[in-house]
Amino acid sequence: MLIYAKAGCAGGKVDFRARDNDSLVTYEKNDWQSGYALGAGIDYALTNSISLGVDYIHVDLGHKTSTGNNVFDDGTVGANPETYRAKAKVDAVMARLTYKFGMGQ
């Protein structure tokens, strides 16, 4: 059995898009954000060549406040830019079955 923890830096492109159907305006921003990743997992050997595992990771790319133009459906840009805040977080769990070639011979 192997029990482990992991930590590191993380980064990714965060796409933010919001729509106001009342005023027919779209707000959009694409930006790179940096943050951290933390996780833990366990692997258990069933035989010399087969193991089962489960892995959890939490990625937090923080928040970013941006100001962008109002883009109307007809393509025109509004006079009043909007400020918005986007947070980017991910929690993921992965289960796996591993076969090790050439083991146990």
Side-chain angles (χ1 to χ4, degrees):
M1 180 184 310
L2 171 68
I3 299 171
Y4 59 90
K6 55 186 176 178
C9 296
K13 184 178 173 192
V14 177
D15 296 332
F16 169 80
R17 185 177 187 145
R19 171 95 175 129
D20 183 341
N21 288 326
D22 291 335
S23 59
L24 304 176
V25 174
T26 300
Y27 313 100
E28 191 172 326
K29 188 74 171 179
N30 302 318
D31 239 341
W32 180 267
Q33 289 182 216
S34 299
Y36 66 90
L38 297 172
I42 185 168
D43 280 331
Y44 181 76
L46 298 174
T47 68
N48 282 342
S49 18
I50 298 175
S51 63
L52 292 174
V54 65
D55 187 272
Y56 165 78
I57 190 162
H58 171 78
V59 178
D60 188 336
L61 298 181
H63 67 274
K64 195 166 217 176
T65 302
S66 301
T67 300
N69 292 323
N70 305 337
V71 180
F72 293 98
D73 286 350
D74 64 5
T76 59
V77 176
N80 300 320
E82 296 287 335
T83 298
Y84 40 84
R85 181 178 166 165
K87 291 196 288 185
K89 294 181 181 181
V90 174
D91 288 292
V93 176
M94 176 180 66
R96 69 181 159 275
L97 172 67
T98 305
Y99 180 77
K100 300 170 189 165
F101 293 95
M103 297 300 291
Q105 295 179 358

